[in-house]
């Protein structure tokens, strides 16, 4: 596998400066490129501030600040930087035509075996691979804000992406402590499709006058949002019971009439097969041979740990 020492990050905005910080803290040299000198300076300030705060939080020692900062070069010279990169992560403005011209250029100015990753939130990765010389080295690696902290990276191949490209990207993400997961190039990928469905309902609830933004935030953070940091939706459905979920879907669909509440076929099929979740030791997952009891213990230990943090954060009159 190609050795990666120098990462080119294109775009030094909200995401790009965080990428540079993360790579540099993990010992990689970074070329941070932006078309705007002013935004490069802003990125330099933000990265220093972030690192200083990490020292305050006792996450790194102060000598690590200078070491990390010294690994980052700030420049608007994309052509001069491209040839020095072992790996590229694109984080420019979400504008398809801009990204296409960038990938077209990177296809000819970077080495032939250099991975070209995009952080696009929405575009089909094929659109970018198709305009790039040697599309086998193009893929999506979708990080989440704030990039130095949030673990997830969705790894999204285009049709032409080679297995070597995927392996390189996954290995690099693991090397810097990220939590990469494969997903298909489809609108919203996985996380944003789910997230935006939730946000649409939150906005509708406020629009209908059912609750204020503050009330929605408070309820979400202390209910399913609280659990979601420990378990995914399928683990949660198994814990609660598939039949209970279907009953709620039935009622919501009947009363609200919205398609998204129609009981999904996958839920009906599993219930028909007698899979009700943890309560009868089979649901989306198998919980036989002691796994149900082990999951309950895992659930309680994770949630009690989070409850302590939650109470600390929400004590003293801070009811947000
Ligand atoms: N902000 C988020 O929470 C978030 C989360 C996940 C993914 N993303 C995606 O990450 C990408 C970057 O988002 P952002 O929030 O950092 O945007 P941003 O607007 O903060 O930063 C974009 C930067 O790109 C620079 N730029 C634009 N065209 C350029 C070019 N041709 N060459 C060099 N620099 C150029 C701009 O000057 C700007 O500094 C987008 O594709 C976005 O959809 C954003």
């Amino acid at each position: 596998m190609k050795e990666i020492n120098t990462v080119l990050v294109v775009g030094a905005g909200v995401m790009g400066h965080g990428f540079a910080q993360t790579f540099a803290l993990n010992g990689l040299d970074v070329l941070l490129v932006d078309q705007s000198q002013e935004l490069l300076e802003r990125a330099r300030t933000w990265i220093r501030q972030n690192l200083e705060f990490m020292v305050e939080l006792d996450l790194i020692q102060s000598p690590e600040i200078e070491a990390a900062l010294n690994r980052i070069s700030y420049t608007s010279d994309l052509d001069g930087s491209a040839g020095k990169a072992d790996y590229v992560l694109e984080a420019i403005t979400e504008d398809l035509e801009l990204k296409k011209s960038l990938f077209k250029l990177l296809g000819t100015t970077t080495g032939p075996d250099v991975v070209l990753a995009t952080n696009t939130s929405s575009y089909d990765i094929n659109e970018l691979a198709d305009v790039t010389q040697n599309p086998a080295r193009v893929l999506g690696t979708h990080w989440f804000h704030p990039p130095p902290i949030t673990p997830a990276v969705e790894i999204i191949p285009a049709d032409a992406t080679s297995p070597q490209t995927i392996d390189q990207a996954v290995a690099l993400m693991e090397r810097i402590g990220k939590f990469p997961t494969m997903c298909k190039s489809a609108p919203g990928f996985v996380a944003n499709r789910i997230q935006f469905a939730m946000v649409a309902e939150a906005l509708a609830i406020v629009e209908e006058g059912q609750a204020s933004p503050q009330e929605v935030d408070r309820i979400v953070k202390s209910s399913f949002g609280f659990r979601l940091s420990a378990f995914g939706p399928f683990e949660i459905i198994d814990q609660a019971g598939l039949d209970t979920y279907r009953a709620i879907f039935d009622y919501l669909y009947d009363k609200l009439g919205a398609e998204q509440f129609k009981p999904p076929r996958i839920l009906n099929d599993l219930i028909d097969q007698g899979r009700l979740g943890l309560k009868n030791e089979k649901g989306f997952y198998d919980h036989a041979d002691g796994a149900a009891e082990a999951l309950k213990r895992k659930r309680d230990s994770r949630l009690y740990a989070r409850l302590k943090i939650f109470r600390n954060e929400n004590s003293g009159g801070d009811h947000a």
Side-chain angles (χ1 to χ4, degrees), residues 24-316:
L25 260 185
N26 284 281
L28 289 139
D29 290 328
V30 180
L31 300 160
L32 181 57
V33 169
D34 201 286
Q35 61 193 4
S36 152
Q37 202 57 45
E38 195 186 328
L39 296 183
L40 281 170
E41 282 313 313
R42 185 186 66 175
R44 190 198 298 270
T45 306
W46 280 351
I47 294 171
R48 179 176 281 283
Q49 286 169 345
N50 294 347
L51 293 172
E52 284 170 354
F53 192 50
M54 286 180 79
V55 172
E56 264 183 63
L57 293 173
D58 227 1
L59 294 167
I60 56 170
Q61 305 297 309
S62 51
E64 290 176 72
I65 298 184
E66 291 311 320
L69 291 177
N70 287 337
R71 287 191 201 105
I72 307 174
S73 308
Y74 302 82
T75 175
S76 49
D77 178 12
L78 179 61
D79 286 342
S81 306
K84 298 180 196 149
D86 302 318
Y87 183 99
V88 179
L89 176 52
E90 169 275 314
I92 67 168
T93 319
E94 187 77 349
D95 176 318
L96 186 56
E97 289 315 311
L98 268 186
K99 285 188 194 279
K100 276 185 174 174
S101 10
L102 179 63
F103 272 77
K104 213 168 170 179
L105 183 81
L106 289 170
T108 57
T109 51
T110 53
D113 55 349
V114 171
V115 169
L116 303 178
T118 171
N119 189 53
T120 178
S121 307
S122 56
Y123 302 133
D124 182 350
I125 309 303
N126 289 298
E127 300 246 27
L128 302 177
D130 289 350
V131 297
T132 310
Q133 208 175 77
N134 189 4
R137 60 197 178 106
V138 175
L139 87 172
T141 60
H142 182 226
W143 299 44
F144 293 80
H145 190 261
I149 306 174
T150 315
V153 179
E154 291 176 323
I155 304 285
I156 312 144
D159 295 342
T161 308
S162 69
Q164 291 88 327
T165 298
I166 297 169
D167 290 349
Q168 291 250 3
V170 168
L172 182 65
M173 293 304 101
E174 286 174 344
R175 176 174 160 194
I176 61 169
K178 290 296 167 193
F179 201 75
T181 306
M182 298 295 298
C183 73
K184 294 205 168 112
S185 187
F189 309 130
V190 169
N192 274 344
R193 180 163 167 194
I194 298 173
Q195 184 176 222
F196 276 76
M198 181 206 70
V199 171
E201 287 304 317
L203 293 169
I205 284 171
V206 170
E207 237 169 50
E208 290 163 17
Q210 203 189 317
S212 66
Q214 292 75 10
E215 286 163 341
V216 171
D217 281 345
R218 186 175 155 94
I219 289 170
V220 169
K221 285 193 290 184
S222 56
S223 62
F224 68 85
F226 172 78
R227 289 191 311 239
L228 277 177
S229 70
F231 295 101
F234 293 96
E235 292 167 323
I236 291 174
I237 298 173
D238 267 12
Q239 291 171 26
L242 277 65
D243 49 342
T244 304
Y245 261 65
R246 183 172 62 186
I248 298 167
F249 268 119
D250 281 336
Y251 187 77
L252 291 177
Y253 187 50
D254 183 40
K255 295 296 171 192
L256 299 174
E259 265 318 283
Q260 69 266 35
F261 297 117
K262 193 171 174 182
R265 201 184 56 225
I266 181 173
L267 196 59
N268 287 329
D269 288 350
L270 287 177
I271 293 170
D272 289 347
Q273 292 163 30
R275 303 185 76 95
L276 304 182
L278 212 54
K279 62 175 119 183
N280 73 346
E281 301 194 343
K282 47 187 192 281
F284 286 97
Y285 295 91
D286 280 315
H287 307 284
D289 303 325
E293 190 52 34
L295 179 58
K296 280 185 197 164
R297 292 171 69 91
K298 194 198 278 185
R299 176 195 65 199
D300 288 3
S301 62
R302 287 184 181 178
L303 294 185
Y304 278 125
R306 283 160 174 79
L307 182 60
K308 208 165 153 189
I309 296 169
F310 181 86
R311 285 191 170 140
N312 271 338
E313 284 177 352
N314 293 281
S315 63

